[in-house]
Amino acid sequence: MKKALILAVNIILASTAMPLFAETNYQFLDGLNFRVGLNHIAGYNADMSGDPDRDDYTGTNQNLPFKRTDFAEASVGMEYMFQLGNNFEIGPGIEYNFESTLERKYHNNFLARRSSRQKETNKFINTPLYIACKYNFETTSDLRPYVFLRLGYSFNKLDYSIVNYEMAPDQQPGTGQDVLKKAHVKDKKNSLYSGIGFGITFKNNFFIEALYNYTSFKYKTEYPYSFVDAAVTTHDFVCNEKWDAGIHALHLMVGYKFSSSEVSKAKPVSAEGRRSQLGGLNIRVGINKNLPINSELKHEVSKINTAGEPVFSVQDVAHKPEHSGIVASIGLEYMFPVLNNIEIGPGVEHNYKNTFEKEQSYSNPSLTKIEYIEFSNTALYLACKYNFETSSFARPYVVGRIGYSFNDVDYSKYKGGADLKRGGSKDVEDDFYYGIGFGVKFNRHVFVEAIYAYTKVKFKASYVAPDMQRVMQSQRENFDSDIQTLGLKIGYIF
Protein backbone atom coordinates (compact mmCIF):
# COMPACT_ATOMS: atom_id res chain seq x y z
CA MET A 1 0.00 0.00 0.00
CA LYS A 2 2.76 2.50 0.94
CA LYS A 3 4.78 1.83 -2.23
CA ALA A 4 1.68 2.22 -4.36
CA LEU A 5 0.79 5.54 -2.73
CA ILE A 6 4.35 6.86 -3.15
CA LEU A 7 4.15 6.03 -6.86
CA ALA A 8 0.74 7.71 -7.09
CA VAL A 9 2.09 10.91 -5.47
CA ASN A 10 5.04 10.96 -7.87
CA ILE A 11 2.70 10.68 -10.86
CA ILE A 12 0.53 13.53 -9.55
CA LEU A 13 3.61 15.72 -9.06
CA ALA A 14 4.83 14.90 -12.55
CA SER A 15 1.46 15.80 -14.04
CA THR A 16 1.82 19.40 -12.80
CA ALA A 17 4.50 19.90 -15.44
CA MET A 18 2.22 18.73 -18.26
CA PRO A 19 0.69 22.17 -18.99
CA LEU A 20 4.18 23.29 -20.11
CA PHE A 21 4.08 20.69 -22.86
CA ALA A 22 0.44 21.43 -23.69
CA GLU A 23 1.39 25.04 -24.50
CA THR A 24 3.57 23.82 -27.37
CA ASN A 25 2.12 22.59 -30.66
CA TYR A 26 2.11 18.91 -29.84
CA GLN A 27 -1.35 18.44 -31.31
CA PHE A 28 -0.73 14.73 -31.82
CA LEU A 29 -1.08 14.42 -28.03
CA ASP A 30 -4.64 15.78 -28.12
CA GLY A 31 -6.93 13.15 -26.63
CA LEU A 32 -4.26 11.49 -24.48
CA ASN A 33 -4.98 11.48 -20.74
CA PHE A 34 -3.28 10.07 -17.68
CA ARG A 35 -4.96 9.33 -14.35
CA VAL A 36 -4.06 8.11 -10.88
CA GLY A 37 -6.24 7.36 -7.88
CA LEU A 38 -7.66 4.80 -5.49
CA ASN A 39 -9.20 1.38 -6.14
CA HIS A 40 -11.65 0.31 -3.40
CA ILE A 41 -12.85 -3.29 -3.72
CA ALA A 42 -16.46 -3.17 -2.53
CA GLY A 43 -16.96 -6.92 -2.81
CA TYR A 44 -14.96 -10.05 -3.66
CA ASN A 45 -17.32 -13.01 -3.57
CA ALA A 46 -16.50 -16.44 -4.97
CA ASP A 47 -18.50 -19.62 -5.59
CA MET A 48 -16.21 -22.39 -4.40
CA SER A 49 -16.62 -26.09 -5.17
CA GLY A 50 -14.27 -28.67 -3.69
CA ASP A 51 -14.00 -32.45 -3.74
CA PRO A 52 -12.98 -33.73 -1.27
CA ASP A 53 -14.43 -31.02 0.93
CA ARG A 54 -12.26 -29.42 3.62
CA ASP A 55 -14.49 -30.70 6.40
CA ASP A 56 -15.95 -33.95 5.04
CA TYR A 57 -15.50 -36.64 2.42
CA THR A 58 -18.27 -35.46 0.06
CA GLY A 59 -18.06 -32.59 -2.40
CA THR A 60 -19.32 -29.14 -1.47
CA ASN A 61 -20.42 -25.92 -3.18
CA GLN A 62 -20.73 -22.59 -1.35
CA ASN A 63 -20.27 -18.85 -1.78
CA LEU A 64 -17.42 -17.30 0.23
CA PRO A 65 -16.57 -13.62 0.83
CA PHE A 66 -13.11 -12.08 1.10
CA LYS A 67 -12.60 -8.77 2.93
CA ARG A 68 -9.99 -6.20 1.95
CA THR A 69 -7.31 -5.54 4.58
CA ASP A 70 -6.84 -1.88 3.50
CA PHE A 71 -9.49 0.63 2.52
CA ALA A 72 -8.04 1.08 -0.97
CA GLU A 73 -5.00 0.55 -3.16
CA ALA A 74 -3.46 2.70 -5.88
CA SER A 75 -4.59 2.63 -9.50
CA VAL A 76 -2.97 4.23 -12.59
CA GLY A 77 -4.13 4.40 -16.17
CA MET A 78 -4.24 6.18 -19.51
CA GLU A 79 -6.65 6.65 -22.41
CA TYR A 80 -6.48 8.04 -25.94
CA MET A 81 -9.85 9.56 -26.83
CA PHE A 82 -11.07 10.60 -30.28
CA GLN A 83 -13.54 13.46 -30.60
CA LEU A 84 -16.91 12.69 -32.22
CA GLY A 85 -18.62 16.04 -32.68
CA ASN A 86 -18.75 18.54 -29.80
CA ASN A 87 -19.85 16.20 -27.05
CA PHE A 88 -18.90 12.58 -27.68
CA GLU A 89 -15.52 10.89 -27.31
CA ILE A 90 -14.48 7.28 -27.84
CA GLY A 91 -11.14 5.55 -27.49
CA PRO A 92 -9.00 2.79 -25.96
CA GLY A 93 -7.76 2.73 -22.39
CA ILE A 94 -5.62 0.68 -20.02
CA GLU A 95 -5.52 0.62 -16.22
CA TYR A 96 -3.29 -1.10 -13.70
CA ASN A 97 -4.75 -1.79 -10.26
CA PHE A 98 -2.09 -2.46 -7.65
CA GLU A 99 -2.19 -5.54 -5.42
CA SER A 100 -5.19 -5.78 -3.09
CA THR A 101 -5.00 -8.15 -0.13
CA LEU A 102 -8.28 -9.82 0.81
CA GLU A 103 -8.87 -12.26 3.65
CA ARG A 104 -11.49 -14.69 4.92
CA LYS A 105 -11.23 -15.89 8.52
CA TYR A 106 -12.70 -18.66 10.68
CA HIS A 107 -12.07 -19.42 14.34
CA ASN A 108 -13.77 -21.52 17.01
CA ASN A 109 -12.68 -22.01 20.61
CA PHE A 110 -14.52 -25.26 21.36
CA LEU A 111 -11.51 -27.53 20.86
CA ALA A 112 -8.10 -26.54 19.53
CA ARG A 113 -8.09 -29.30 16.94
CA ARG A 114 -7.05 -29.19 13.32
CA SER A 115 -9.01 -26.62 11.30
CA SER A 116 -10.30 -24.86 14.41
CA ARG A 117 -8.60 -21.72 13.08
CA GLN A 118 -8.21 -20.70 9.44
CA LYS A 119 -7.24 -17.64 7.42
CA GLU A 120 -7.44 -17.59 3.64
CA THR A 121 -5.65 -14.81 1.77
CA ASN A 122 -6.04 -13.62 -1.82
CA LYS A 123 -3.54 -11.17 -3.32
CA PHE A 124 -5.29 -9.86 -6.43
CA ILE A 125 -4.01 -7.66 -9.28
CA ASN A 126 -5.81 -6.86 -12.51
CA THR A 127 -5.07 -4.91 -15.67
CA PRO A 128 -8.13 -4.10 -17.79
CA LEU A 129 -7.89 -3.11 -21.46
CA TYR A 130 -11.06 -1.39 -22.60
CA ILE A 131 -12.90 0.91 -24.97
CA ALA A 132 -14.34 4.02 -23.29
CA CYS A 133 -17.29 6.06 -24.55
CA LYS A 134 -17.80 9.51 -23.04
CA TYR A 135 -20.50 12.20 -23.27
CA ASN A 136 -19.52 15.75 -22.23
CA PHE A 137 -22.18 18.25 -21.14
CA GLU A 138 -21.86 21.85 -22.33
CA THR A 139 -21.82 24.32 -19.43
CA THR A 140 -21.32 28.06 -18.96
CA SER A 141 -18.37 27.66 -16.57
CA ASP A 142 -14.92 26.06 -16.53
CA LEU A 143 -16.44 22.96 -14.91
CA ARG A 144 -17.62 20.48 -17.54
CA PRO A 145 -19.26 17.25 -16.27
CA TYR A 146 -19.37 14.04 -18.27
CA VAL A 147 -20.64 10.48 -18.05
CA PHE A 148 -18.82 7.47 -19.47
CA LEU A 149 -18.97 3.73 -20.08
CA ARG A 150 -16.20 1.16 -20.32
CA LEU A 151 -16.22 -2.31 -21.89
CA GLY A 152 -13.17 -4.50 -22.26
CA TYR A 153 -11.11 -7.41 -20.99
CA SER A 154 -9.36 -7.86 -17.64
CA PHE A 155 -6.03 -9.66 -17.25
CA ASN A 156 -6.00 -11.08 -13.73
CA LYS A 157 -3.27 -12.25 -11.37
CA LEU A 158 -3.81 -14.04 -8.04
CA ASP A 159 -1.78 -15.55 -5.20
CA TYR A 160 -3.77 -17.70 -2.75
CA SER A 161 -2.69 -19.12 0.60
CA ILE A 162 -4.39 -20.65 3.63
CA VAL A 163 -3.21 -20.70 7.24
CA ASN A 164 -4.58 -23.74 9.08
CA TYR A 165 -4.28 -24.74 12.74
CA GLU A 166 -2.38 -28.06 12.88
CA MET A 167 -2.16 -30.49 15.79
CA ALA A 168 1.10 -31.48 17.46
CA PRO A 169 2.15 -35.16 17.12
CA ASP A 170 0.57 -36.10 20.49
CA GLN A 171 -2.85 -34.97 19.13
CA GLN A 172 -3.72 -33.22 22.40
CA PRO A 173 -6.10 -30.21 22.14
CA GLY A 174 -4.28 -26.92 22.51
CA THR A 175 -0.86 -28.29 21.50
CA GLY A 176 -0.87 -27.26 17.83
CA GLN A 177 0.25 -24.28 15.78
CA ASP A 178 -0.76 -22.24 12.74
CA VAL A 179 0.77 -23.58 9.51
CA LEU A 180 0.92 -21.62 6.24
CA LYS A 181 -0.03 -23.59 3.13
CA LYS A 182 0.90 -21.92 -0.14
CA ALA A 183 -1.56 -23.04 -2.79
CA HIS A 184 -0.85 -23.67 -6.43
CA VAL A 185 -3.18 -21.45 -8.48
CA LYS A 186 -3.86 -22.88 -11.93
CA ASP A 187 -6.21 -22.68 -14.92
CA LYS A 188 -6.65 -18.94 -14.42
CA LYS A 189 -9.12 -17.43 -16.86
CA ASN A 190 -9.21 -13.76 -17.70
CA SER A 191 -12.61 -12.18 -18.15
CA LEU A 192 -14.83 -9.43 -19.49
CA TYR A 193 -14.65 -6.07 -17.77
CA SER A 194 -17.27 -3.30 -17.58
CA GLY A 195 -17.59 0.06 -15.85
CA ILE A 196 -19.81 3.12 -15.57
CA GLY A 197 -19.10 6.49 -13.98
CA PHE A 198 -19.11 10.26 -14.10
CA GLY A 199 -16.45 12.95 -13.98
CA ILE A 200 -15.75 16.69 -14.08
CA THR A 201 -13.21 18.42 -16.32
CA PHE A 202 -11.69 21.66 -14.98
CA LYS A 203 -9.91 24.31 -17.06
CA ASN A 204 -10.03 22.05 -20.13
CA ASN A 205 -7.16 19.82 -18.90
CA PHE A 206 -7.60 18.56 -15.34
CA PHE A 207 -10.32 16.10 -14.34
CA ILE A 208 -11.67 14.04 -11.48
CA GLU A 209 -13.91 11.00 -11.94
CA ALA A 210 -15.75 8.32 -9.98
CA LEU A 211 -16.23 4.83 -11.40
CA TYR A 212 -17.99 1.56 -10.55
CA ASN A 213 -16.57 -1.49 -12.34
CA TYR A 214 -17.10 -5.23 -12.33
CA THR A 215 -15.11 -8.21 -13.48
CA SER A 216 -15.25 -11.95 -12.90
CA PHE A 217 -12.42 -14.43 -12.44
CA LYS A 218 -12.28 -18.24 -12.64
CA TYR A 219 -9.38 -20.28 -11.29
CA LYS A 220 -8.42 -23.46 -9.41
CA THR A 221 -6.36 -24.01 -6.26
CA GLU A 222 -4.53 -27.08 -5.00
CA TYR A 223 -2.91 -27.56 -1.57
CA PRO A 224 -2.40 -30.20 1.17
CA TYR A 225 -5.04 -30.35 3.89
CA SER A 226 -6.12 -32.29 6.97
CA PHE A 227 -9.44 -33.12 8.58
CA VAL A 228 -10.27 -34.48 12.06
CA ASP A 229 -13.51 -36.47 12.24
CA ALA A 230 -15.81 -37.01 15.22
CA ALA A 231 -13.66 -39.95 16.38
CA VAL A 232 -10.63 -37.62 16.51
CA THR A 233 -9.05 -39.46 13.59
CA THR A 234 -6.83 -37.37 11.32
CA HIS A 235 -7.18 -37.63 7.53
CA ASP A 236 -4.60 -36.04 5.22
CA PHE A 237 -5.33 -35.33 1.56
CA VAL A 238 -4.82 -32.84 -1.28
CA CYS A 239 -7.60 -30.27 -1.51
CA ASN A 240 -8.66 -29.30 -5.05
CA GLU A 241 -11.05 -26.36 -5.35
CA LYS A 242 -12.65 -24.46 -8.22
CA TRP A 243 -13.44 -20.77 -7.79
CA ASP A 244 -15.75 -18.45 -9.73
CA ALA A 245 -15.25 -14.96 -8.30
CA GLY A 246 -17.10 -11.70 -8.89
CA ILE A 247 -15.23 -8.48 -8.07
CA HIS A 248 -17.07 -5.18 -7.52
CA ALA A 249 -14.83 -2.09 -7.27
CA LEU A 250 -15.18 1.67 -6.80
CA HIS A 251 -12.57 4.10 -8.17
CA LEU A 252 -11.82 7.74 -7.44
CA MET A 253 -9.34 9.15 -9.96
CA VAL A 254 -7.68 12.48 -10.79
CA GLY A 255 -5.88 13.13 -14.04
CA TYR A 256 -4.60 15.37 -16.80
CA LYS A 257 -5.57 15.34 -20.46
CA PHE A 258 -3.73 16.98 -23.35
CA SER A 259 -5.84 19.46 -25.28
CA SER A 260 -4.59 22.27 -27.53
CA SER A 261 -8.03 23.76 -28.22
CA GLU A 262 -10.53 25.42 -25.93
CA VAL A 263 -13.87 23.75 -25.40
CA SER A 264 -16.82 25.92 -26.37
CA LYS A 265 -19.06 27.07 -23.54
CA ALA A 266 -22.83 27.27 -23.44
CA LYS A 267 -24.56 30.63 -23.31
CA PRO A 268 -25.21 31.95 -19.76
CA VAL A 269 -28.56 31.15 -18.18
CA SER A 270 -30.71 33.93 -16.75
CA ALA A 271 -31.16 34.10 -12.99
CA GLU A 272 -34.85 33.38 -13.47
CA GLY A 273 -34.03 30.31 -15.50
CA ARG A 274 -31.66 29.02 -12.84
CA ARG A 275 -34.14 29.45 -10.01
CA SER A 276 -36.85 27.63 -11.92
CA GLN A 277 -34.65 24.52 -12.03
CA LEU A 278 -33.67 24.51 -8.36
CA GLY A 279 -35.51 23.67 -5.17
CA GLY A 280 -38.95 22.29 -4.48
CA LEU A 281 -40.55 18.90 -3.93
CA ASN A 282 -39.48 15.95 -6.04
CA ILE A 283 -40.68 12.36 -6.14
CA ARG A 284 -38.82 9.42 -7.64
CA VAL A 285 -39.26 5.74 -8.42
CA GLY A 286 -36.65 3.30 -9.59
CA ILE A 287 -34.74 0.10 -9.07
CA ASN A 288 -31.89 -1.01 -6.85
CA LYS A 289 -29.30 -3.61 -7.77
CA ASN A 290 -28.07 -5.23 -4.56
CA LEU A 291 -24.51 -6.45 -4.13
CA PRO A 292 -24.04 -9.62 -2.02
CA ILE A 293 -24.45 -9.18 1.75
CA ASN A 294 -21.09 -9.87 3.40
CA SER A 295 -21.24 -10.47 7.15
CA GLU A 296 -19.14 -11.34 10.14
CA LEU A 297 -21.04 -14.14 11.88
CA LYS A 298 -20.44 -14.94 15.55
CA HIS A 299 -22.05 -18.23 16.63
CA GLU A 300 -22.46 -18.67 20.40
CA VAL A 301 -23.34 -21.88 22.26
CA SER A 302 -24.43 -22.05 25.91
CA LYS A 303 -21.59 -24.29 27.08
CA ILE A 304 -18.02 -23.91 28.38
CA ASN A 305 -14.84 -25.15 26.69
CA THR A 306 -11.89 -26.84 28.41
CA ALA A 307 -10.37 -23.43 29.25
CA GLY A 308 -13.55 -22.33 31.06
CA GLU A 309 -14.60 -19.91 28.29
CA PRO A 310 -18.03 -19.61 26.66
CA VAL A 311 -17.98 -21.51 23.37
CA PHE A 312 -18.17 -19.45 20.16
CA SER A 313 -17.01 -19.35 16.55
CA VAL A 314 -16.43 -16.36 14.25
CA GLN A 315 -16.36 -16.50 10.45
CA ASP A 316 -16.95 -14.41 7.33
CA VAL A 317 -20.06 -15.41 5.38
CA ALA A 318 -21.83 -14.21 2.23
CA HIS A 319 -25.47 -14.20 1.09
CA LYS A 320 -26.09 -13.67 -2.63
CA PRO A 321 -29.20 -11.92 -3.95
CA GLU A 322 -31.70 -14.32 -5.46
CA HIS A 323 -32.23 -14.11 -9.22
CA SER A 324 -31.18 -10.67 -10.54
CA GLY A 325 -31.03 -8.94 -7.14
CA ILE A 326 -33.12 -6.05 -8.48
CA VAL A 327 -35.94 -4.57 -6.38
CA ALA A 328 -38.17 -1.48 -6.54
CA SER A 329 -37.46 1.79 -4.75
CA ILE A 330 -39.59 4.90 -4.10
CA GLY A 331 -38.76 8.22 -2.44
CA LEU A 332 -39.19 11.97 -2.20
CA GLU A 333 -37.12 15.04 -1.32
CA TYR A 334 -37.73 18.70 -0.58
CA MET A 335 -34.78 20.78 -1.72
CA PHE A 336 -33.96 24.40 -0.84
CA PRO A 337 -31.80 26.57 -3.16
CA VAL A 338 -28.52 27.78 -1.64
CA LEU A 339 -26.51 30.25 -3.73
CA ASN A 340 -26.90 29.86 -7.49
CA ASN A 341 -26.10 26.21 -8.05
CA ILE A 342 -26.41 24.40 -4.72
CA GLU A 343 -29.47 22.72 -3.21
CA ILE A 344 -29.84 21.14 0.19
CA GLY A 345 -32.79 19.42 1.83
CA PRO A 346 -34.28 16.35 3.54
CA GLY A 347 -35.27 13.15 1.78
CA VAL A 348 -36.76 9.73 2.44
CA GLU A 349 -36.44 6.54 0.40
CA HIS A 350 -37.98 3.11 0.86
CA ASN A 351 -36.25 0.13 -0.71
CA TYR A 352 -38.51 -2.89 -1.03
CA LYS A 353 -37.69 -6.35 0.31
CA ASN A 354 -35.00 -8.41 -1.37
CA THR A 355 -34.09 -12.03 -0.63
CA PHE A 356 -30.48 -13.16 -0.21
CA GLU A 357 -29.36 -16.77 0.14
CA LYS A 358 -26.33 -18.70 1.34
CA GLU A 359 -26.25 -22.27 0.06
CA GLN A 360 -23.82 -24.97 1.12
CA SER A 361 -24.63 -27.96 -1.06
CA TYR A 362 -23.23 -31.49 -0.89
CA SER A 363 -23.41 -34.56 -3.10
CA ASN A 364 -25.74 -35.94 -0.39
CA PRO A 365 -28.87 -33.68 -0.62
CA SER A 366 -29.85 -34.38 2.99
CA LEU A 367 -26.77 -32.43 4.13
CA THR A 368 -27.43 -29.35 1.98
CA LYS A 369 -27.95 -26.17 4.01
CA ILE A 370 -29.64 -22.98 2.77
CA GLU A 371 -29.95 -19.72 4.71
CA TYR A 372 -32.20 -16.84 3.69
CA ILE A 373 -31.98 -13.18 4.66
CA GLU A 374 -34.88 -10.93 3.63
CA PHE A 375 -33.89 -7.27 3.86
CA SER A 376 -35.68 -3.97 3.29
CA ASN A 377 -34.98 -0.48 4.60
CA THR A 378 -36.21 3.08 4.79
CA ALA A 379 -33.53 5.77 4.70
CA LEU A 380 -34.00 9.29 6.09
CA TYR A 381 -31.24 11.58 4.87
CA LEU A 382 -30.01 15.07 4.10
CA ALA A 383 -29.14 15.57 0.42
CA CYS A 384 -26.81 18.15 -1.09
CA LYS A 385 -26.70 18.80 -4.86
CA TYR A 386 -24.44 20.87 -7.08
CA ASN A 387 -26.09 21.81 -10.41
CA PHE A 388 -23.94 22.70 -13.40
CA GLU A 389 -25.04 25.72 -15.43
CA THR A 390 -26.08 24.94 -18.98
CA SER A 391 -28.35 26.50 -21.57
CA SER A 392 -29.53 23.17 -22.98
CA PHE A 393 -32.59 21.18 -21.92
CA ALA A 394 -30.32 18.80 -19.95
CA ARG A 395 -28.78 20.06 -16.68
CA PRO A 396 -26.39 17.65 -14.93
CA TYR A 397 -25.71 17.57 -11.18
CA VAL A 398 -23.78 15.63 -8.54
CA VAL A 399 -25.42 14.58 -5.29
CA GLY A 400 -24.37 13.37 -1.85
CA ARG A 401 -26.52 11.90 0.91
CA ILE A 402 -25.96 11.29 4.62
CA GLY A 403 -28.56 10.01 7.05
CA TYR A 404 -29.93 7.03 8.95
CA SER A 405 -31.34 3.72 7.74
CA PHE A 406 -34.26 1.99 9.46
CA ASN A 407 -33.79 -1.70 8.69
CA ASP A 408 -36.12 -4.69 8.53
CA VAL A 409 -34.70 -8.25 8.43
CA ASP A 410 -36.11 -11.77 8.43
CA TYR A 411 -33.89 -14.86 8.71
CA SER A 412 -34.50 -18.57 8.09
CA LYS A 413 -32.42 -21.70 7.58
CA TYR A 414 -33.09 -25.08 6.00
CA LYS A 415 -31.21 -28.40 5.95
CA GLY A 416 -32.11 -31.13 3.50
CA GLY A 417 -35.25 -29.17 2.67
CA ALA A 418 -36.48 -29.11 6.29
CA ASP A 419 -37.04 -25.83 8.14
CA LEU A 420 -34.62 -25.66 11.09
CA LYS A 421 -36.97 -23.27 12.95
CA ARG A 422 -34.48 -20.51 13.64
CA GLY A 423 -37.26 -18.25 14.85
CA GLY A 424 -36.60 -15.35 12.50
CA SER A 425 -34.41 -12.34 13.28
CA LYS A 426 -34.23 -10.52 16.62
CA ASP A 427 -32.68 -7.29 17.89
CA VAL A 428 -32.39 -5.76 14.41
CA GLU A 429 -30.23 -2.62 14.62
CA ASP A 430 -30.51 0.47 12.44
CA ASP A 431 -27.40 2.31 11.29
CA PHE A 432 -25.92 5.30 9.46
CA TYR A 433 -26.53 5.64 5.74
CA TYR A 434 -24.70 7.48 2.97
CA GLY A 435 -24.80 7.74 -0.82
CA ILE A 436 -23.13 9.48 -3.75
CA GLY A 437 -24.36 9.87 -7.30
CA PHE A 438 -24.90 11.78 -10.53
CA GLY A 439 -28.09 12.97 -12.20
CA VAL A 440 -29.49 14.93 -15.13
CA LYS A 441 -32.56 17.21 -15.12
CA PHE A 442 -34.55 17.45 -18.36
CA ASN A 443 -36.81 20.41 -19.21
CA ARG A 444 -36.77 21.59 -15.57
CA HIS A 445 -39.11 18.89 -14.23
CA VAL A 446 -38.04 15.36 -15.18
CA PHE A 447 -34.76 13.89 -13.92
CA VAL A 448 -32.74 10.68 -14.01
CA GLU A 449 -30.32 9.80 -11.18
CA ALA A 450 -27.80 7.02 -10.52
CA ILE A 451 -26.57 6.52 -6.96
CA TYR A 452 -24.39 4.18 -4.88
CA ALA A 453 -25.60 3.72 -1.28
CA TYR A 454 -24.19 1.96 1.79
CA THR A 455 -25.48 1.03 5.23
CA LYS A 456 -24.95 -1.68 7.87
CA VAL A 457 -27.34 -3.92 9.78
CA LYS A 458 -26.85 -6.10 12.84
CA PHE A 459 -29.31 -8.79 13.93
CA LYS A 460 -29.51 -12.04 15.90
CA ALA A 461 -31.14 -15.45 15.61
CA SER A 462 -31.69 -17.49 18.80
CA TYR A 463 -32.72 -21.16 18.89
CA VAL A 464 -32.19 -24.56 20.55
CA ALA A 465 -30.34 -27.19 18.48
CA PRO A 466 -27.84 -30.05 18.96
CA ASP A 467 -24.16 -29.09 19.18
CA MET A 468 -21.21 -30.97 17.61
CA GLN A 469 -21.60 -33.66 20.31
CA ARG A 470 -25.35 -33.94 19.51
CA VAL A 471 -26.38 -32.42 22.85
CA MET A 472 -29.29 -29.96 22.75
CA GLN A 473 -27.99 -26.46 23.52
CA SER A 474 -29.25 -22.88 23.40
CA GLN A 475 -27.45 -21.17 20.52
CA ARG A 476 -27.31 -17.69 19.02
CA GLU A 477 -26.06 -16.33 15.72
CA ASN A 478 -24.97 -12.67 15.60
CA PHE A 479 -24.73 -11.08 12.14
CA ASP A 480 -22.83 -7.85 11.40
CA SER A 481 -23.64 -7.16 7.74
CA ASP A 482 -22.73 -4.68 4.99
CA ILE A 483 -25.53 -3.54 2.65
CA GLN A 484 -24.53 -2.01 -0.71
CA THR A 485 -26.82 -0.97 -3.56
CA LEU A 486 -26.57 0.58 -7.01
CA GLY A 487 -29.71 2.58 -7.79
CA LEU A 488 -31.24 4.04 -10.96
CA LYS A 489 -34.12 6.50 -10.39
CA ILE A 490 -36.44 8.59 -12.51
CA GLY A 491 -38.42 11.41 -10.97
CA TYR A 492 -40.46 14.59 -11.27
CA ILE A 493 -39.72 18.03 -9.75
CA PHE A 494 -42.78 20.14 -8.91
Side-chain angles (χ1 to χ4, degrees):
M1 175 67 174
K2 290 182 179 178
K3 292 181 179 179
L5 289 179
I6 291 172
L7 177 60
V9 170
N10 288 334
I11 293 175
I12 292 174
L13 292 175
S15 70
T16 60
M18 291 180 181
L20 298 177
F21 294 97
E23 290 176 0
T24 64
N25 292 321
Y26 296 127
Q27 292 187 2
F28 67 92
L29 292 177
D30 281 5
L32 179 66
N33 72 65
F34 296 93
R35 73 271 312 288
V36 61
L38 296 176
N39 172 36
H40 168 86
I41 293 184
Y44 187 115
N45 293 77
D47 289 319
M48 184 275 287
S49 58
D51 194 1
D53 172 48
R54 302 176 188 180
D55 302 316
D56 209 332
Y57 299 113
T58 58
T60 183
N61 292 275
Q62 56 184 317
N63 185 263
L64 302 176
F66 288 82
K67 293 182 179 179
R68 61 187 181 275
T69 57
D70 292 313
F71 178 77
E73 300 295 345
S75 176
V76 296
M78 62 182 294
E79 296 173 348
Y80 196 97
M81 306 299 291
F82 297 90
Q83 197 75 30
L84 299 178
N86 291 329
N87 302 99
F88 284 98
E89 297 176 75
I90 190 169
I94 184 173
E95 187 172 84
Y96 179 81
N97 297 304
F98 285 75
E99 182 178 276
S100 294
T101 301
L102 305 111
E103 295 179 344
R104 177 181 178 270
K105 298 179 181 180
Y106 170 79
H107 169 66
N108 81 70
N109 71 342
F110 178 53
L111 286 175
R113 293 176 176 168
R114 288 192 176 188
S115 305
S116 64
R117 186 164 60 237
Q118 293 177 354
K119 184 177 74 172
E120 298 171 77
T121 302
N122 281 334
K123 294 183 180 294
F124 177 73
I125 298 172
N126 75 317
T127 304
L129 294 176
Y130 58 88
I131 296 294
C133 183
K134 189 180 298 185
Y135 179 83
N136 300 280
F137 294 89
E138 292 185 3
T139 64
T140 61
S141 70
D142 289 327
L143 298 177
R144 192 176 191 191
Y146 59 88
V147 292
F148 64 93
L149 297 171
R150 291 180 178 180
L151 184 62
Y153 200 68
S154 178
F155 296 88
N156 305 315
K157 180 182 178 182
L158 181 80
D159 287 326
Y160 171 87
S161 63
I162 182 169
V163 174
N164 194 51
Y165 186 82
E166 299 283 359
M167 294 291 291
D170 59 10
Q171 296 292 307
Q172 293 300 313
T175 61
Q177 61 181 340
D178 290 330
V179 177
L180 172 66
K181 299 177 184 294
K182 182 74 172 180
H184 173 53
V185 181
K186 57 184 181 179
D187 297 341
K188 292 178 287 187
K189 295 182 180 180
N190 302 313
S191 56
L192 293 178
Y193 164 90
S194 59
I196 185 171
F198 66 90
I200 302 170
T201 302
F202 176 68
K203 290 289 187 181
N204 205 37
N205 296 107
F206 296 95
F207 64 89
I208 182 171
E209 66 183 32
L211 165 73
Y212 162 79
N213 65 70
Y214 174 82
T215 189
S216 58
F217 185 26
K218 293 183 179 181
Y219 54 95
K220 297 178 182 178
T221 55
E222 181 181 275
Y223 54 91
Y225 203 79
S226 301
F227 169 67
V228 180
D229 62 19
V232 199
T233 301
T234 300
H235 306 269
D236 297 301
F237 54 87
V238 174
C239 194
N240 294 282
E241 296 173 341
K242 297 179 181 179
W243 300 82
D244 187 355
I247 300 102
H248 305 265
L250 304 173
H251 279 38
L252 182 63
M253 312 289 284
V254 296
Y256 180 89
K257 70 174 185 176
F258 291 91
S259 178
S260 59
S261 59
E262 289 292 330
V263 177
S264 60
K265 296 180 182 179
K267 295 180 180 180
V269 183
S270 67
E272 180 181 355
R274 280 197 301 266
R275 284 195 298 270
S276 65
Q277 298 184 66
L278 297 180
L281 177 69
N282 74 68
I283 59 174
R284 74 267 310 285
V285 295
I287 55 175
N288 280 342
K289 167 66 176 178
N290 289 91
L291 274 60
I293 294 179
N294 293 335
S295 310
E296 182 181 85
L297 170 61
K298 183 176 182 180
H299 182 196
E300 299 174 304
V301 182
S302 58
K303 63 187 302 181
I304 304 299
N305 66 10
T306 54
E309 304 167 331
V311 170
F312 70 88
S313 67
V314 179
Q315 63 178 313
D316 299 316
V317 298
H319 292 75
K320 298 193 301 183
E322 277 193 325
H323 311 302
S324 64
I326 294 176
V327 294
S329 173
I330 187 170
L332 59 87
E333 296 173 345
Y334 197 96
M335 306 301 293
F336 298 91
V338 180
L339 302 176
N340 289 331
N341 301 308
I342 299 175
E343 299 172 88
I344 190 169
V348 60
E349 183 173 275
H350 178 71
N351 301 302
Y352 286 83
K353 183 177 293 185
N354 201 354
T355 301
F356 302 80
E357 68 174 19
K358 173 181 178 290
E359 181 175 354
Q360 187 171 357
S361 60
Y362 295 89
S363 53
N364 181 353
S366 65
L367 300 177
T368 295
K369 302 174 185 177
I370 304 179
E371 293 180 356
Y372 294 101
I373 292 177
E374 295 181 317
F375 177 84
S376 64
N377 73 319
T378 300
L380 295 178
Y381 59 86
L382 186 69
C384 182
K385 296 179 183 178
Y386 179 85
N387 300 269
F388 296 90
E389 293 186 3
T390 175
S391 59
S392 71
F393 74 99
R395 189 175 190 187
Y397 63 89
V398 291
V399 58
R401 296 177 177 180
I402 186 167
Y404 202 70
S405 175
F406 297 90
N407 303 318
D408 183 63
V409 178
D410 195 16
Y411 172 77
S412 57
K413 187 172 184 177
Y414 295 79
K415 182 177 181 179
D419 189 349
L420 295 181
K421 307 294 184 183
R422 291 304 191 234
S425 58
K426 299 178 175 64
D427 300 333
V428 178
E429 295 185 17
D430 307 316
D431 212 303
F432 288 103
Y433 164 93
Y434 67 83
I436 184 171
F438 182 88
V440 182
K441 298 175 182 178
F442 299 95
N443 292 327
R444 302 183 180 179
H445 292 291
V446 178
F447 67 91
V448 175
E449 185 175 288
I451 193 158
Y452 164 81
Y454 174 87
T455 189
K456 291 180 69 70
V457 63
K458 295 180 181 180
F459 64 94
K460 300 174 183 178
S462 301
Y463 54 92
V464 176
D467 61 16
M468 290 185 293
Q469 297 175 325
R470 305 190 184 282
V471 177
M472 298 299 290
Q473 301 282 356
S474 296
Q475 303 187 41
R476 184 170 64 187
E477 294 179 342
N478 305 275
F479 289 85
D480 186 352
S481 308
D482 296 323
I483 309 294
Q484 301 180 85
T485 59
L486 302 171
L488 181 63
K489 326 290 181 182
I490 184 170
Y492 186 86
I493 304 171
F494 291 92

